[in-house]
Amino acid sequence: MRQFTALIEQLDGCPGTLAKVEALRVWFAAAPAADAAWALHCLLGKQRRRLITGRRLRQICLEASSLPEWLFDDCHAQVGDSAETIALLWRRQPCLEGHPRGGTPQAPLQE
């Protein structure tokens, strides 16, 4: 990570394109393959595809809870963020049998 940071600082300080290309060539030639792959990913600015959508998380939360859909929607309207709404509602749900956390409900952090 420090080597990549140094590369970024070097690129930021380079006045011309040729100097930047040379700095990249030297860095990629010396970098391990895994580091080079992550560096390329960061430099290109590519975003990873979501593994699960917010809509699917909402559906899972509704299926796992006894909350009616209108109550979830009202909670979302108050909180204003789907992820936070799900996090606040989910932690109040009892754990599922056979789930890695066991079958006992988790106590909320605050009442």
Side-chain angles (χ1 to χ4, degrees), residues 29-100:
D35 290 350
W38 278 110
L40 188 60
H41 174 78
C42 291
L43 290 170
L44 290 175
K46 299 287 183 186
Q47 297 296 318
R48 295 180 77 189
R49 199 171 147 243
R50 287 185 188 184
L51 299 176
I52 189 166
T53 64
R55 182 170 293 179
R56 178 66 180 132
L57 284 174
R58 178 184 182 276
Q59 181 183 4
I60 291 169
C61 184
L62 284 170
E63 289 171 0
S65 71
S66 59
L67 294 175
E69 192 170 342
W70 67 266
L71 184 55
F72 183 94
D73 293 339
D74 282 358
C75 291
H76 179 266
Q78 286 295 314
V79 174
D81 180 64
S82 296
E84 189 169 349
T85 302
I86 292 168
L88 290 169
L89 294 174
W90 191 264
R91 72 175 182 195
R92 301 208 186 288
Q93 299 305 315
C95 295
L96 302 173
E97 291 296 326
H99 190 273

